[in-house]
Amino acid sequence: MEIIIAEPIGYCYGVERALNITYEALKSKSDNIYTLGPIIHNPQVVKKLKDNGIKIIENLENVDIGTLIIRAHGIDPKKLERARKMGFKVIDATCPFVKKNQKRATQLVKEGYFLVVIGEKEHPEILGILANANGPFMVIENKSDYKKLPDVKRVGVITQTTQSMENFISVVSYLLEKHKEIKIFNTICDETIERQKSARNIANKVDLMLVVGGKNSANTKRLAEIGKSINENTYHIETSEEIIKKWLKGVKKVGISGGASTPKWLIDEAIKKIKKITSH
Ligand code: SF4
């Protein structure tokens, strides 16, 4: 049995940074350290943080004032300002690439472009970008949204940092046919591009492809979609517990890919489980 591991694997730069910031804050031993929503999209890691004392809140009301860590996906700047005014000590763990994306969106709106953001409408990164840009916009998830696009002349385009290149290209191609003036920033982060390339490459070579990561993680879901589009025998799992013996029947090569918020130890556990099943 050969196991091929995708590259890169383990946390991406932005997630690692956000977690380091969070663990640093925990050293203060304060009782009230909060994140507004989960700091990253990995339930197993978030559970560990909770066990260590991090409190996840959905809004600032009805909690004692303390330290507020801003998640890697970013936040509405008005909420951030409000937290400061209320007396929270705010620590911003927004990924610098997400910050850059927010700035691009703001710049496009200032330049008078109608903002098109390619991504998931309810994803916190998108909500943060839109709140920062504060102008006319539309979020395009896929082709079904095309018809809703208003008849505007100047369109400024950015994309969620974890979008798939295929969807980005497909939406941009559509927009190029419809609009005379378009300014496009490819804001898919390099780490996402590398992971998608690697998943694509491995899915082509293996009998079974496992994508490990939070079921709520946009970039992990995308890796699983990419894998599935190439290799029908692709499964998105959160933990090794989900690996089923029958998946490995007759399998000679297994590929493993992981989302940007998937810790290396979850990958190692998956490898261990595969080896355990196949050694019998
Ligand atoms: S995937 Fe990219 S943009 Fe998202 S947190 Fe990681 S480094 Fe930042």
Side-chain angles (χ1 to χ4, degrees):
M1 162 77 64
E2 187 186 350
I3 301 176
I4 306 175
I5 313 291
E7 282 287 336
I9 202 83
Y11 297 136
C12 68
Y13 162 74
V15 166
E16 177 119 50
R17 180 178 172 275
L19 290 173
N20 286 343
I21 289 172
T22 308
Y23 277 109
E24 198 53 40
L26 276 170
K27 285 185 190 163
S28 71
K29 305 268 183 242
S30 156
D31 281 341
N32 300 318
I33 305 180
Y34 307 102
T35 62
L36 254 185
I39 184 114
I40 60 165
H41 279 151
N42 185 280
Q44 290 70 35
V45 175
V46 168
K47 184 182 176 302
K48 277 188 190 290
L49 288 173
K50 269 193 198 167
D51 294 345
N52 278 288
I54 293 289
K55 295 175 183 166
I56 302 173
I57 53 173
E58 292 308 322
N59 53 60
L60 302 169
E61 279 69 41
N62 306 321
V63 295
D64 294 330
I65 300 300
T67 300
L68 182 71
I69 303 172
I70 306 301
R71 64 202 299 181
H73 311 102
I75 190 182
D76 178 341
K78 286 192 213 87
K79 265 193 195 164
L80 197 139
E81 208 31 56
R82 190 150 162 269
R84 285 204 174 107
K85 279 194 182 138
M86 286 170 82
F88 284 91
K89 178 187 173 194
V90 176
I91 303 177
D92 193 355
T94 308
C95 172
F97 299 119
V98 172
K99 273 244 150 93
K100 202 169 161 192
N101 215 0
Q102 293 172 348
K103 281 191 189 135
R104 293 261 198 243
T106 311
Q107 178 197 336
L108 286 168
V109 168
K110 272 194 190 141
E111 288 172 6
Y113 289 97
F114 178 86
L115 180 66
V116 167
V117 185
I118 304 168
E120 290 156 78
K121 294 180 178 104
E122 297 303 325
H123 192 279
E125 179 190 340
I126 299 293
L127 299 177
I129 286 170
L130 297 175
N132 271 276
N134 195 22
F137 72 86
M138 181 172 167
V139 180
I140 295 188
E141 274 192 27
N142 50 46
K143 285 180 184 156
S144 64
D145 290 321
Y146 289 170
K147 286 192 206 105
K148 299 173 208 154
L149 197 68
D151 187 18
V152 284
K153 285 204 169 55
R154 304 176 75 224
V155 177
V157 186
I158 60 158
T159 175
Q160 191 172 341
T161 50
T162 50
Q163 265 295 294
S164 77
M165 190 54 88
E166 285 84 354
N167 195 39
F168 177 64
I169 292 171
S170 137
V171 176
V172 166
S173 308
Y174 172 83
L175 294 172
L176 284 169
E177 280 178 24
K178 298 279 168 196
H179 301 274
K180 287 282 176 231
E181 186 182 337
I182 308 188
K183 190 164 181 177
I184 303 163
F185 289 108
N186 174 4
T187 51
I188 302 176
C189 94
D190 289 350
E191 181 104 20
T192 301
I193 293 172
E194 287 310 312
R195 279 175 203 251
Q196 290 178 1
K197 257 193 218 160
S198 184
R200 205 170 285 120
N201 183 23
I202 293 176
N204 259 313
K205 294 182 187 157
V206 296
D207 310 304
L208 169 70
M209 178 83 183
L210 297 178
V211 180
V212 187
K215 298 270 164 76
N216 57 346
S217 156
N219 77 87
T220 312
K221 279 192 266 178
R222 211 127 295 130
L223 291 175
E225 281 162 17
I226 289 170
K228 196 92 183 159
S229 70
I230 296 164
N231 186 331
E232 188 51 36
N233 218 9
T234 297
Y235 298 94
H236 177 179
I237 57 167
E238 264 186 16
T239 69
S240 60
E241 306 279 298
E242 293 164 64
I243 300 173
I244 298 170
K245 204 173 173 182
K246 71 171 183 191
W247 290 352
L248 290 150
K249 210 170 167 209
V251 164
K252 290 197 174 65
K253 278 187 193 173
V254 181
I256 300 185
S257 168
S261 50
T262 306
K264 181 70 172 47
W265 58 266
L266 280 174
I267 303 288
D268 292 340
E269 280 183 9
I271 296 170
K272 216 165 132 192
K273 177 82 179 274
I274 293 166
K275 286 185 175 163
K276 194 174 165 200
I277 292 175
T278 52
S279 68
H280 292 301

